[in-house]
Amino acid sequence: MPGRIKVQVLADADAVARAAAGVIVSLVRDNPDAVLGLPTGSTPERTFEEVVRLSRAEGVSFAKVTTFNLDEYFGLSGDHSQSYRAFMNERLFKHLDIRLWNTHVFNGLARSPEDECAAFERKIAACGGIDLWFLGIGTNAHIAFNEPGSPADGRSRKVPLSEATIAANSDGRFFKDPNEVPRHALTVGLGTVLDARRLLLLAMGEKKAAAIAASVKGPVTTDAPGSLLQHHPDCTFMLDRAAAAGL
Ligand code: F6R
């Protein structure tokens, strides 16, 4: 039955990051073997800083935690400064006691994207599935790199990036020029995301307000991938006031 998304509106982006970090660190404290799904991008940056601070302050170890990332640019090596592997190592992993071999990001240079994606799905299953998938959302309501029109039960695969996503990722925050942005990515599917036991989506800023309104209140449609999260039994959106403006 649609309409189950729980919405928490917090004062500002900092409050969202603190609340989200609290959820992640508590989960690991209660379940040191937790399997986490993680995003990259602007959305998780402050939350990752808070996860590092809070886990140190509270003595919570990530040594037995396993992680899977949503996506990776196809054609970039993990050593490339704009790869999502490099982002994760720099922003989170190197500041925690997590074992790098327990962190999984697609290999953007995989010879066979099909084999790489099938192996990724098998690894998630072998770990017993994802306990909590932490998500951001695109301005067009994409989830991971599942652009509008992606199948609701899709699995990991190679996808073309939309012009909107290429533009959003070359606005100077990450790439400076649209021509530098790879044209394809490896991404988990919406089915892979919906299989997680719990979902936590963060959105901050007015640019996300329309995507959030479509996801929470709109009809469940593959035109707005975020709306498919209404089908998940344990999905929370943590928003600042600007992102919640359309609710
Ligand atoms: C990132 C990802 C994307 C982003 C989304 C929002 O791994 O899968 O779906 O979550 O594009 O990006 P930001 O956070 O940069 O606004």
Side-chain angles (χ1 to χ4, degrees):
M1 192 186 57
R4 290 185 184 129
I5 294 173
K6 296 179 271 274
V7 177
Q8 291 180 23
V9 183
L10 294 132
D12 54 28
D14 242 36
V16 173
R18 284 197 302 274
V23 168
I24 293 166
V25 173
S26 313
L27 178 84
V28 174
R29 185 194 299 108
D30 296 346
N31 176 11
D33 300 313
V35 181
L36 301 177
L38 298 172
T40 55
S42 296
T43 303
E45 287 178 330
R46 278 284 300 123
T47 303
F48 287 163
E49 285 174 23
E50 272 299 304
V51 165
V52 172
R53 191 196 62 74
L54 196 61
S55 62
R56 285 185 185 162
E58 301 195 353
V60 175
S61 169
F62 278 61
K64 293 201 223 155
V65 168
T66 300
T67 66
F68 290 88
N69 264 83
L70 287 170
D71 37 27
E72 177 60 287
Y73 289 115
F74 187 68
L76 290 195
S77 121
D79 296 334
H80 188 287
S81 64
Q82 293 307 326
S83 72
Y84 287 168
R85 163 52 80 182
F87 178 101
M88 292 308 301
N89 288 353
E90 284 303 309
R91 304 294 176 128
L92 187 65
F93 299 149
K94 79 176 194 191
H95 307 288
L96 297 173
D97 61 349
I98 197 163
R99 311 298 190 227
L100 267 192
W101 57 87
N102 290 332
T103 69
H104 304 281
V105 183
F106 288 112
N107 173 10
L109 294 185
R111 285 245 196 118
S112 162
E114 294 75 22
D115 289 353
E116 174 70 10
C117 290
F120 203 78
E121 293 276 342
R122 277 199 306 273
K123 278 185 227 156
I124 293 175
C127 291
I130 307 276
D131 291 308
L132 174 81
W133 210 310
F134 171 18
L135 302 165
I137 188 166
T139 50
N140 63 0
H142 72 210
I143 298 290
F145 278 132
N146 294 283
E147 302 288 6
S150 299
D153 59 354
R155 312 308 307 189
S156 297
R157 66 205 186 286
K158 181 181 165 193
V159 292
L161 297 186
S162 72
E163 286 307 319
T165 298
I166 291 169
N169 289 359
S170 57
D171 62 1
R173 288 175 307 153
F174 301 114
F175 292 94
K176 301 211 166 20
D177 178 341
N179 293 318
E180 292 170 14
V181 184
R183 266 35 195 172
H184 292 86
L186 303 181
T187 183
V188 298
L190 292 165
T192 322
V193 169
L194 289 167
D195 278 352
R197 284 182 271 284
R198 198 169 155 196
L199 302 178
L200 175 64
L201 183 145
L202 267 52
M204 290 86 82
E206 59 187 341
K207 278 194 200 157
K208 301 289 173 77
I212 291 298
S215 300
V216 175
K217 300 194 306 189
V220 176
T221 164
T222 54
D223 293 343
S227 70
L228 298 166
L229 306 187
Q230 292 179 32
H231 281 314
H232 195 280
D234 190 356
C235 174
T236 299
F237 280 19
M238 285 185 178
L239 312 171
D240 69 358
R241 292 206 184 98
L247 295 181

